[in-house]
Amino acid sequence: MNRLNELLPYLTFSNICRVLTIFGFIYFVVKRFIMKQAPVPKAAFKQVPHELLESCVDQLVKKEKEPFAPYTPPKELLQSLQQDREDEEALKELLCDICEHLGMDGSYIKLVIQHTPVTDRAGEIETDLAFTTIRLEIQKTYQVDTLVAVLAHEATHLKLYYRGVRRKDSWENEILTDTAAVFYGFYDVMYRGYEVRQGENAFSYHKVGYISQQDIKFIGELLDKISQKRYT
């Protein structure tokens, strides 16, 4: 009891904040430099309900019958983008190549490169059948894999628009689009591009996309089961 009374004068708000700060810093150092893990909140790994992903896959199978063949980005375009991520010509060629894989003509699509970081999106598409614009937000933390995944997502939006496949809820429609990208052969592209990465400083992180890598794995497993049923 006497010890408690002695400690009470030190239990001020400012002292508690200092102690919490010290513990937080120690936790960060251990996790970042000893465990080699970025201080990423669990929310970044939050998974989409499996029921929704299964529903999206069923919706796509009814329309497309079976998954597309895997897509591989041209090496020369990836090399160009490794040297300069803002190479507009290489990005447009990559978009056209992605569209060709999807059975579309990407040459008429206007690709706009922007450098105004938007927290809730990495890309945006506008279309009215006659004219289509894709806006690509290039941030400092984006890697080439990130850009390929974002372009695949936006091109998939257009593919679904043409095919008349969508969901009423806007968030579910984005989940459908990411699921469709995997369905259309962009499994590897999406998996690499949707990785949670460390941001510009040690205390930040970034991620694009509406689904996690675990979600992508689950979708891939569903598609494998569909393929196995068709060939057995």
Side-chain angles (χ1 to χ4, degrees):
M1 192 67 179
N2 291 332
R3 288 186 178 180
L4 180 60
N5 291 330
E6 291 175 0
L7 289 174
L8 284 176
Y10 298 97
L11 296 179
T12 63
F13 179 76
S14 59
N15 285 341
I16 292 174
C17 288
R18 289 193 186 98
V19 171
L20 292 176
T21 300
I22 293 172
F23 276 115
F25 180 73
I26 293 173
Y27 172 78
F28 163 74
V29 170
V30 171
K31 193 168 185 181
R32 178 69 181 88
F33 298 104
I34 298 178
M35 298 177 65
K36 304 297 183 180
Q37 295 178 4
V40 179
K42 292 182 179 179
F45 299 98
K46 186 177 181 181
Q47 297 180 33
V48 176
H50 284 181
E51 295 78 11
L52 175 56
L53 297 176
E54 290 170 345
S55 176
C56 290
V57 169
D58 289 341
Q59 191 174 353
L60 292 163
V61 170
K62 289 178 181 178
K63 195 71 174 182
E64 302 289 1
K65 304 306 179 186
E66 60 183 358
F68 282 32
Y71 170 78
T72 302
K75 291 183 179 180
E76 61 275 14
L77 293 181
L78 296 181
Q79 290 173 352
S80 296
L81 292 172
Q82 289 289 355
Q83 296 176 358
D84 180 8
R85 291 175 304 130
E86 300 181 26
D87 185 336
E88 294 190 23
E89 184 177 344
L91 287 169
K92 181 57 187 292
E93 287 185 33
L94 177 61
L95 175 60
C96 288
D97 193 70
I98 289 172
C99 287
E100 183 178 353
H101 174 81
L102 291 169
M104 304 186 302
D105 179 10
S107 61
Y108 75 95
I109 300 175
K110 182 180 180 181
L111 180 62
V112 178
I113 309 300
Q114 299 183 162
H115 301 84
T116 52
V118 181
T119 56
D120 62 344
R121 70 169 187 269
E124 184 180 35
I125 186 169
E126 300 173 357
T127 186
D128 59 3
L129 287 178
F131 191 76
T132 299
T133 299
I134 289 179
R135 303 182 190 280
L136 179 64
E137 307 281 352
I138 298 185
Q139 300 186 28
K140 293 180 180 179
T141 53
Y142 285 3
Q143 298 186 12
V144 173
D145 289 337
T146 310
L147 299 177
V148 179
V150 173
L151 289 177
H153 174 91
E154 299 305 332
T156 299
H157 261 306
L158 188 59
K159 175 73 173 182
L160 295 178
Y161 178 73
Y162 287 150
R163 298 291 286 154
V165 181
R166 66 169 288 106
R167 299 180 80 91
K168 292 181 180 179
D169 180 82
S170 58
W171 178 75
E172 288 192 5
N173 197 56
E174 294 294 349
I175 300 300
L176 171 65
T177 302
D178 274 343
T179 303
V182 179
F183 185 93
Y184 287 138
F186 299 107
Y187 178 98
D188 290 338
V189 166
M190 306 301 283
Y191 189 83
R192 291 194 300 268
Y194 279 18
E195 179 184 1
V196 178
R197 303 178 188 274
Q198 188 170 314
E200 294 185 78
N201 57 66
F203 295 93
S204 66
Y205 77 98
H206 77 88
K207 179 191 178 304
V208 300
Y210 294 84
I211 61 178
S212 68
Q213 288 184 312
Q214 291 302 314
D215 294 326
I216 295 172
K217 281 186 177 181
F218 180 74
I219 296 168
E221 291 170 359
L222 291 177
L223 299 182
D224 286 341
K225 290 178 181 179
I226 292 172
S227 298
Q228 289 172 8
K229 286 181 180 180
R230 291 186 179 279
Y231 294 102
T232 56

